[in-house]
Amino acid sequence: MLIKTYGAAVQGIDAITVTIEVVAEQGAVFSLVGMADTAVKESYQRVLSAVTQSGHKWPRRRIVINLSPADVRKEGAAYDLPIAIGILAACEQIKCVRPLERFMIMGELSLDGSVLPIRGVLPMAIKARQLGFGGMIVPKANASEAAVVNNLDVYGVSSLSEVIGFITGNTDLTPTIVNTREEFARASEIFDCDFSEVKGQMAVKRAFEVACAGGHNILLVGPPGSGKSMMAKRLPTILPPLTLAEALETTKIHSVAGKLKGGSRLMTSRPFRSPHHTISPVALVGGGTSPMPGEISLAHNGVLFLDEFPEFSRQVLEVMRQPLEDRHISVSRAKYSIDYPAGFMLVASMNPCPCGYYNHPSKPCQCPPGAVQKYLNRISGPLLDRIDLQVEIYPVPFESLSSTAPEEPSEAIRSRVIKAREIQAIRFAAEKGIHSNAQMNKRLLSLHTRLDTASTELLRDTMTRLDMSARAYDRILKVSRTIADLEYASDPALSPAEGASRPIMIHHLREALAYRNLDRGSWGQTVNHV
């Protein structure tokens, strides 16, 4: 007898349907075909034990299982549950009152018949709804994750016996219901840190505000203990909240990577990823024997923080050059080619020299001549060009540290960032995939960053004197546009639509040029020796 059950395989961050065809005939051979990896082929022992522990006999029949399409590699143990149901139905040990073609079934089986959680349930659920499946049977730990998808009945199960009872009509299961929009609207982003805890550093706080308002990359250069990491970790508190579409896309990526905690639903906070400097290129960009999203994809719609920037290997840093421009990464290997989204905001920090005290106001630098420039040269010029804001940070004086005067909270900074983003949303309303100033292409740059004569002369003189690249020119214009947006957003007399059409002024350009500290020809050339 031929029985078909339905599951899914994840490719990139999307899913494709997999048909599990089971034929039971006379004989005593078990065969599993369809480009299955070792974990799938080992399902025989898990399914046999689970079926026996669930009170059914293992059929003395010749069983052939085909996972279709046969030219797509199947990985993992998530096919155990549909295989077990297919075998029992093909051998007529169960009578399916509820038609199997109505359900997508996925789950790993334990030897005692319990159903274990799996990765990538959210993209599978999205695919099930697209193809018109009436419901989806998944491990109970994954039910809330799959129920984020509307118009799909999601049944969370904890054992094979429970699934058998449901399919045969002996047990009723209650679908898991999640009101996605209500949950998302009610979710409050509660952070355990705030910019009000940061004393002084007003210039750096301003640079962070500009970076968040336009989605720009930022590099902090300063001595140990000056607050680089402390402020970077507070960056999510001033970023605008996720939209529903961004939350769904971000949750899909983390679902595929298996990073969602048990019972998780929709991610409501922007991701903040901070890998160690010993990370490998594959771990950063994704891929591997079993393709998985890397850190730059896990940081999609959020922040990728690279502390001790020059300590990362040159190979690791250079693989980020293309994703920083294109906002996605194409991982191509001999056996597969996968695209992962990588629209992240890069935040990096570094010491100014090996000893850490170059340009320190009170401590002398111990580095030999040329060491400062050699240390900076660990980061290539093309990569530095892709960082919009390069900011020097200095130690906070004792007077500021001991001050009891209240500092501006994250909520106040965030409100200005959100208003600036509203202006950009109006400006780019007709542009697909463009949401912030940092994403502007050449056409949009020429349209929205026109300069007057005085500003043009200032930019020409600065670029000629510092020998800046064409990419640096683009970055300066983008940052200038964001600084102008922040100013117009703070004007209560202007609506966002009016602010979107206002020009860049010369003081906006001056501030943007001040954020190109490492472009100064004198930086790193002199050392304050003992």
Side-chain angles (χ1 to χ4, degrees):
M1 185 176 182
L2 172 64
I3 289 292
K4 294 182 180 181
T5 58
Y6 298 90
V10 175
Q11 287 191 324
I13 62 167
D14 297 311
I16 62 169
T17 306
V18 173
T19 304
I20 298 95
E21 301 173 322
V22 183
V23 174
E25 301 172 334
Q26 289 193 358
V29 179
F30 180 91
S31 300
L32 195 155
V33 298
M35 206 172 178
D37 73 348
T38 303
V40 180
K41 292 178 179 178
E42 289 175 346
S43 64
Y44 171 77
Q45 299 295 342
R46 294 190 297 271
V47 172
L48 187 154
S49 177
V51 167
T52 303
Q53 293 296 322
S54 299
H56 293 79
K57 292 184 178 180
W58 184 255
R60 303 281 183 177
R61 308 281 295 275
R62 176 177 178 267
I63 298 172
V64 179
I65 301 171
N66 177 44
L67 305 179
S68 174
D71 61 346
V72 174
R73 186 166 180 80
K74 323 301 184 308
E75 298 176 337
Y79 301 99
D80 292 357
L81 187 55
I83 287 174
I85 296 298
I87 289 174
L88 292 173
C91 297
E92 301 181 337
Q93 291 201 37
I94 62 173
K95 183 178 180 181
C96 301
V97 174
R98 292 182 169 90
L100 292 176
E101 61 268 17
R102 289 190 59 245
F103 300 97
M104 182 178 283
I105 306 173
M106 292 296 283
E108 178 184 347
L109 287 174
S110 178
L111 295 181
D112 62 359
S114 57
V115 181
L116 305 178
I118 59 175
R119 292 186 291 107
V121 167
L122 181 55
M124 295 177 188
I126 293 172
K127 190 66 176 180
R129 183 182 64 180
Q130 289 175 348
L131 296 178
F133 283 93
M136 188 174 185
I137 299 174
V138 296
K140 184 164 287 186
N142 297 117
S144 296
E145 178 186 339
V148 167
V149 180
N150 298 325
N151 303 319
L152 180 72
D153 291 334
V154 176
Y155 300 95
V157 296
S158 55
S159 67
L160 176 60
S161 299
E162 199 173 348
V163 181
I164 293 171
F166 178 69
I167 294 297
T168 57
N170 296 323
T171 304
D172 287 327
L173 296 177
T174 303
T176 302
I177 298 175
V178 174
N179 189 322
T180 307
R181 295 188 180 276
E182 183 180 326
E183 289 281 333
F184 187 73
R186 189 169 60 237
S188 58
E189 296 185 84
I190 301 174
F191 301 99
D192 56 2
C193 55
D194 195 277
F195 265 99
S196 62
E197 301 159 352
V198 181
K199 298 293 184 179
Q201 301 292 12
M202 302 308 297
V204 184
K205 290 179 184 178
R206 169 64 178 178
F208 270 132
E209 181 179 341
V210 172
C212 291
H216 303 289
N217 304 318
I218 182 171
L219 170 64
L220 299 179
V221 184
S226 54
K228 302 186 297 295
S229 301
M230 178 186 183
M231 284 188 282
K233 290 175 182 177
R234 283 155 177 75
L235 200 62
T237 67
I238 63 173
L239 281 168
L242 286 168
T243 64
L244 187 56
E246 287 176 332
L248 187 61
E249 185 180 30
T250 305
T251 308
K252 278 176 62 177
I253 299 170
H254 285 251
S255 173
V256 170
K259 300 295 184 181
L260 293 179
K261 297 178 181 178
S264 294
R265 296 180 180 178
L266 203 63
M267 293 181 64
T268 56
S269 298
R270 292 189 181 273
F272 182 88
R273 306 294 300 182
S274 180
H276 193 260
H277 63 257
T278 56
I279 190 173
S280 69
V282 172
L284 186 71
V285 302
T289 306
S290 298
M292 295 283 287
E295 288 292 333
I296 63 173
S297 296
L298 293 172
H300 182 63
N301 291 323
V303 175
L304 178 68
F305 176 49
L306 301 184
D307 200 6
E308 304 299 338
F309 201 35
E311 302 302 329
F312 286 80
S313 75
R314 184 69 171 246
Q315 186 181 6
V316 168
L317 294 180
E318 292 306 299
V319 297
M320 288 197 302
R321 284 163 57 174
Q322 179 261 332
L324 282 171
E325 290 286 336
D326 300 338
R327 305 182 71 82
H328 71 88
I329 178 71
S330 298
V331 181
S332 298
R333 301 292 184 266
K335 295 184 179 180
Y336 63 82
S337 180
I338 293 176
D339 282 351
Y340 291 119
F344 60 93
M345 178 180 165
L346 175 63
V347 180
S349 68
M350 60 178 284
N351 293 329
C353 65
C355 79
Y357 295 107
Y358 174 72
N359 271 357
H360 194 283
S362 58
K363 294 185 179 180
C365 178
Q366 306 289 338
C367 300
V372 178
Q373 193 62 42
K374 184 178 179 182
Y375 188 71
L376 181 62
N377 287 344
R378 293 186 185 183
I379 307 167
S380 69
L383 184 57
L384 276 177
D385 257 357
R386 288 168 167 83
I387 300 178
D388 309 42
L389 293 87
Q390 305 159 4
V391 183
E392 280 191 88
I393 177 173
Y394 300 99
V396 182
F398 177 79
E399 291 74 15
S400 297
L401 284 175
S402 59
S403 173
T404 57
E407 298 284 345
E408 188 176 32
S410 294
E411 184 179 359
I413 304 174
R414 191 187 205 194
S415 65
R416 296 194 296 269
V417 168
I418 291 174
K419 289 178 181 178
R421 287 289 183 109
E422 289 173 356
I423 289 177
Q424 294 165 54
I426 293 173
R427 177 180 297 130
F428 305 124
E431 306 294 335
K432 185 178 180 181
I434 306 292
H435 308 291
S436 64
N437 291 331
Q439 297 173 278
M440 284 192 289
N441 53 33
K442 281 287 188 181
R443 177 180 61 83
L444 294 174
L445 267 176
S446 61
L447 188 63
H448 299 296
T449 60
R450 293 172 181 168
L451 303 178
D452 58 24
T453 303
S455 298
T456 303
E457 287 297 324
L458 173 63
L459 185 54
R460 178 188 293 113
D461 292 344
T462 305
M463 291 199 64
T464 303
R465 179 165 45 86
L466 301 182
D467 195 22
M468 292 181 175
S469 68
R471 184 178 287 111
Y473 171 82
D474 291 348
R475 303 281 169 170
I476 291 168
L477 290 180
K478 291 177 182 180
V479 174
S480 300
R481 182 68 267 174
T482 300
I483 295 169
D485 290 345
L486 278 169
E487 180 179 314
Y488 298 137
S490 63
D491 187 347
L494 290 178
S495 67
E498 291 172 320
S501 61
R502 288 299 178 97
I504 296 173
M505 307 298 289
I506 193 167
H507 61 280
H508 303 142
L509 182 62
R510 285 199 183 100
E511 184 177 352
L513 289 170
Y515 293 134
R516 302 293 299 187
N517 285 11
L518 300 188
D519 287 330
R520 297 201 312 264
S522 61
W523 202 96
Q525 299 299 317
T526 58
V527 179
N528 50 330
H529 291 293
V530 181

